[in-house]
Amino acid sequence: MRFLPVLSCLALCACAASAPPVTMEAVAPLTDPLPPMNHFTTVTPMPPHRSNAEMARDFLDLSFAMENGDTLPVMSRFDGPITVAVNGPAPKVAMTDLDRVIGRLRKEAHVDIKRATAPASVTIEFVPAERLHKAAPTAACFVVPQVRSFTEYTQNLRNPELDWGLLTRRDHVAVFIPADESPQEMRDCLNEELAQAIGPLNDLYRIPDTIFNDDNFLSVLTGFDMLMLRLYNSPELPSGTTRAQAEVIVPQLLRRYNPSGEFSAPAVPPDTPRSWIRAIETALGPDATDSARLRSAKRALRIAQSEGWTDARLGFSWFAVARLSLDTDVAAALGGFIEAARVFRTLPDDDVRVAHVDMQMAAFALSAGQTEAVHLLTDAAIPVARRAENAGLLSTLLMIRSEALRLEGQKTAAAAARRESLAWGRYGFRSDDDLRTRLAGVEALSPPIGF
């Protein structure tokens, strides 16, 4: 399940020397003519970089538990080839992204999967977001076993056959995607929910290089994810496999599939306590006031510090505190982003989490007229956002760069960056109005020329 957080990783706010904090709601949309939508075409997935011993435990923890902490007695999976069908109308851009992810699953995870007509192993249905949220208020999208349509699902909400914990084999499942969100959000849902439809059902905050992580920083399948899906669909791990059986088989498969992972490494990070997860869920969720969310984020940070974590969970705690402090305490927000960046920069492969922090720091630099700092931050973050295929983040970074170039009098370069930002924004934002509002908000951060 992909959650729908209140804490947006793309939220942006900064404070100019002579102006109050600016939020996206405080400015009117611009009327820029919009270029055609940009699309990602070249796949550069982050490869698995941890030891096989560590990833063996990751696989077991992902495969034999649910997101709510319940354990699963056995693995359930599809036996034989997997087919995917779409029920009803679907946005054209989403169909392109669906074919792209299916192609990647075949090539990178070696899964026997293809598009087909109904009835299929996996049915994908695009549903208005309002209807989805009525059924699952905190979910952006989700996957359900033993049904083939959203109507069938809503008519069987209390049916015990829809309980993943009771399955020993997957016969058919349905994936429900919001039909009226941004192309990027639909693509992210296709990646995560299709992966859970044919693979592990759990999410783990302690694993940084995966979409099986509810921090939602990564949104397209990584090399680690493809390796996990290859393991999950290996003939050596049939439906009904127990954890004890998998503990013997998985290390052997990893030696075969990932020989470069046969090296010694530090101990696996400790499990995440439910108290931290509850605090983060409250901080990100829709049911608390702004002040309650901030208190919960600070509680998550205290837990992370008391646990002695130095990994992405500590960085995410700092990030949550910083983001939720933006409207009330800019100094605390800045300090929090600096601490988050310090943690995130210890992660390998130019992690996209760093790019999110760099975007926030670039906004602060822009509001202070520090154009050199803007260029340093955006030069580092833009390539990372491209590799992560995060169009919303990439669009915002290009907007900030465009404003810095405009302040320096580089009109041609500023116009080019602005146009590219709009092309990516049409993929990354829900509507053209949302895109124009974001552009207007970034412009509002700029100090007057010659201030």
Side-chain angles (χ1 to χ4, degrees):
M1 178 186 297
R2 182 173 179 83
F3 287 97
L4 184 69
V6 168
L7 171 57
S8 168
C9 293
L10 286 175
L12 177 146
C13 175
C15 186
S18 58
V22 176
T23 63
M24 294 305 98
E25 292 78 15
V27 293
L30 301 178
T31 58
D32 277 49
L34 298 180
M37 180 188 297
N38 270 358
H39 300 270
F40 294 102
T41 55
T42 303
V43 180
T44 53
M46 179 192 306
H49 56 261
R50 290 174 290 116
S51 72
N52 283 344
E54 184 175 352
M55 290 191 290
R57 180 188 160 188
D58 294 341
F59 178 86
L60 295 170
D61 289 347
L62 287 169
S63 302
F64 290 94
M66 298 287 292
E67 294 177 24
N68 62 5
D70 291 347
T71 59
L72 295 171
V74 298
M75 287 175 53
S76 66
R77 49 165 284 186
F78 291 106
D79 295 328
I82 300 171
T83 53
V84 180
V86 176
N87 183 28
K92 182 178 179 180
V93 64
M95 297 303 291
T96 300
D97 284 329
L98 173 60
D99 288 335
R100 189 166 181 247
V101 70
I102 289 175
R104 288 192 61 204
L105 289 168
R106 284 198 302 267
K107 180 180 179 180
E108 298 172 44
H110 301 268
V111 176
D112 187 356
I113 184 172
K114 64 180 180 180
R115 284 273 299 280
T117 56
S121 313
V122 181
T123 304
I124 297 174
E125 185 172 345
F126 291 83
V127 181
E130 184 177 0
R131 290 186 65 201
L132 282 184
H133 298 162
K134 286 181 179 178
T138 63
C141 43
F142 52 97
V143 57
V144 180
Q146 307 296 82
V147 299
R148 285 196 167 97
S149 71
F150 190 70
T151 298
E152 184 181 359
Y153 165 63
T154 56
Q155 291 174 346
N156 290 274
L157 292 176
R158 300 183 185 279
N159 189 335
E161 292 185 1
L162 274 60
D163 185 350
W164 286 104
L166 300 179
L167 292 186
T168 57
R169 186 184 71 248
R170 299 183 194 181
D171 297 313
H172 55 274
V173 305
V175 171
F176 303 124
I177 308 290
D180 44 4
E181 291 290 347
S182 69
Q184 177 170 305
E185 179 65 21
M186 289 186 281
R187 182 225 41 207
D188 295 353
C189 284
L190 287 169
N191 273 258
E192 181 165 343
E193 304 309 329
L194 189 54
Q196 290 196 315
I198 68 171
L201 298 168
N202 197 11
D203 284 312
L204 293 171
Y205 280 105
R206 66 173 172 78
I207 307 178
D209 54 341
T210 179
I211 64 169
F212 294 106
N213 184 328
D214 281 334
D215 68 13
N216 286 349
F217 278 108
L218 295 173
S219 51
V220 295
L221 291 162
T222 67
F224 169 86
D225 297 327
M226 292 298 186
L227 180 58
M228 294 297 103
L229 291 169
R230 185 176 186 183
L231 291 172
Y232 203 95
N233 289 277
S234 297
E236 293 87 348
L237 294 172
S239 290
T241 298
T242 66
R243 181 169 182 135
Q245 292 169 328
E247 285 175 348
V248 177
I249 298 169
V250 168
Q252 300 171 13
L253 294 176
L254 282 168
R255 281 193 291 272
R256 185 194 311 168
Y257 297 155
N258 189 47
S260 63
E262 289 296 302
F263 58 87
S264 60
V268 176
D271 289 334
T272 307
R274 297 302 302 178
S275 58
W276 184 86
I277 293 174
R278 286 193 296 269
I280 283 292
E281 287 176 346
T282 301
L284 307 187
D287 298 327
T289 64
D290 290 347
S291 59
R293 283 195 286 270
L294 178 57
R295 287 195 300 271
S296 292
K298 290 179 177 179
R299 183 163 61 252
L301 176 59
R302 290 194 297 270
I303 294 170
Q305 292 171 325
S306 67
E307 291 285 333
W309 294 338
T310 59
D311 57 21
R313 292 170 294 183
L314 175 62
F316 189 41
S317 302
W318 275 115
F319 187 90
V321 169
R323 173 63 193 94
L324 291 166
S325 299
L326 274 171
D327 292 336
T328 57
D329 190 340
V330 173
L334 180 58
F337 285 130
I338 291 171
E339 289 297 323
R342 181 182 59 79
V343 177
F344 288 154
R345 289 187 197 283
T346 67
L347 302 175
D349 296 314
D350 294 324
D351 193 277
V352 72
R353 295 167 178 84
V354 178
H356 279 282
V357 178
D358 284 349
M359 182 271 286
Q360 297 286 354
M361 299 301 292
F364 279 104
L366 176 62
S367 68
Q370 298 171 351
T371 58
E372 289 186 8
V374 171
H375 291 311
L376 286 172
L377 290 161
T378 58
D379 284 349
I382 285 173
V384 179
R386 289 188 198 278
R387 286 195 295 273
E389 299 190 20
N390 191 320
L393 175 61
L394 177 57
S395 174
T396 303
L397 286 163
L398 287 164
M399 291 176 189
I400 295 172
R401 171 185 278 181
S402 174
E403 279 302 292
L405 291 166
R406 185 183 65 82
L407 290 175
E408 295 170 342
Q410 300 188 54
K411 295 181 179 180
T412 301
R418 182 184 179 105
R419 181 175 177 80
E420 186 183 2
S421 77
L422 295 174
W424 285 116
R426 298 197 74 185
Y427 186 87
F429 292 93
R430 180 172 182 172
S431 69
D432 291 346
D433 283 345
D434 287 347
L435 171 57
R436 290 190 176 100
T437 299
R438 170 53 58 93
L439 178 61
V442 170
E443 283 197 347
L445 297 176
S446 297
I449 294 177
F451 78 107

